[in-house]
Amino acid sequence: MKISPIKLIDENGRRIDGRLPHEIRKVKIESGVLKNADGSAYIELGNNKIIVAVYGPREVYPKHQALADRALLRCRYSMAPFSVEERKTPSPTRREIELSKVIREALEPAIFLEEYPRTAIDVFIEVLEADGGTRTASITAASVALADAGIPMRDLVTAIAIGKVEGLLVVDLNGLEDQYGEGDMPIAMMPQLGYVTLFQADGRFTAEELKEAFKLANDAIKKIYEEQKQALKRKYLKVAEIGEI
Ligand code: ADP
């Protein structure tokens, strides 16, 4: 944790972007944004802008990676060099490799992988602009893209980060809060089923704070879940209207 050069919560209890502690940033989700992909989605969560393309189920290359009893889920999380203030190297960093794994593990429980043995499902995540919480926004968008690809799922996966800033639990950390806050807890859930598919924690939280964090995550996730469903519905309403995808 770094010492913050600025006050992150003002005297009225507002955060640096004007939000109250339990408010999420403005969220916008669209599905079916790429014609060439089998499924796709775009999310804006505050300043984060992320696009996801899904391909598959399709043949596995290299063939030896194929699994006899289920589909192989592959995820690639990648940040554009221009997505952060200082140019990020275009080659995959350790952080991107780790996040690719974390995101795959958060999505895996939701997909009926056993229905497609010996195939691969590829999820490409491109972060165009990053401002804290890209892993959670990526998971949220990727599950919409998977559903858009028509891949059978138990539920969508929805994710949000809960953090601690100046001793206060806050929902959906922005970049500065992420950088200077005391803790960060990304959580992903299958909202309808009530299962948690990702839980990470960085920083110190008491048992009481953990309980409260899950309650806050649950409330935020419900709101984002509605946006995910609307994004999927909108695409099919459009298809019904104009008769093509
Ligand atoms: P998440 O985006 O899931 O919160 P991190 O906690 O690792 O993941 O990163 C927090 C934030 O730090 C990112 O959302 C981004 O705004 C910023 N960040 C990450 N990598 C870089 C980088 N290479 N250069 C500048 N900022 C970065």
Side-chain angles (χ1 to χ4, degrees), residues 48 77 79 83-89 93 95 99 127 129-138 161 173-176 178-179 184 186 200 202:
N48 290 305
Y77 165 100
M79 268 170 96
S83 63
V84 285
E85 266 181 43
E86 267 192 36
R87 178 181 177 276
K88 190 218 134 259
T89 165
T93 58
R95 174 179 171 273
L99 287 197
V127 178
E129 199 168 317
D131 188 22
T134 58
R135 84 192 60 196
T136 47
S138 296
L173 297 169
N174 63 37
L176 280 173
D178 196 310
Q179 198 176 346
D184 175 18
Q200 296 184 290
D202 178 10

Side-chain angles (χ1 to χ4, degrees), residues 1-2 4 6-9 13-21 23 25 131-133 161-166 168-184:
M1 183 188 111
K2 297 181 201 155
S4 176
I6 45 163
K7 201 140 165 44
L8 294 171
I9 308 274
R14 297 248 172 206
R15 296 154 69 181
I16 39 174
D17 52 14
R19 277 183 293 158
L20 288 167
E23 258 179 81
R25 286 172 285 186
D131 188 22
I162 307 295
K164 194 151 86 169
V165 171
E166 294 177 7
L168 210 62
L169 283 184
V170 298
V171 178
D172 186 22
L173 297 169
N174 63 37
L176 280 173
E177 291 173 332
D178 196 310
Q179 198 176 346
Y180 296 113
E182 296 121 64
D184 175 18

Side-chain angles (χ1 to χ4, degrees), residues 90-112:
S91 49
T93 58
R94 284 178 58 153
R95 174 179 171 273
E96 287 169 296
I97 295 165
E98 183 198 325
L99 287 197
S100 299
K101 173 181 180 284
V102 162
I103 293 168
R104 173 172 55 75
E105 288 175 351
L107 295 169
E108 244 167 4
I111 308 170
F112 286 101

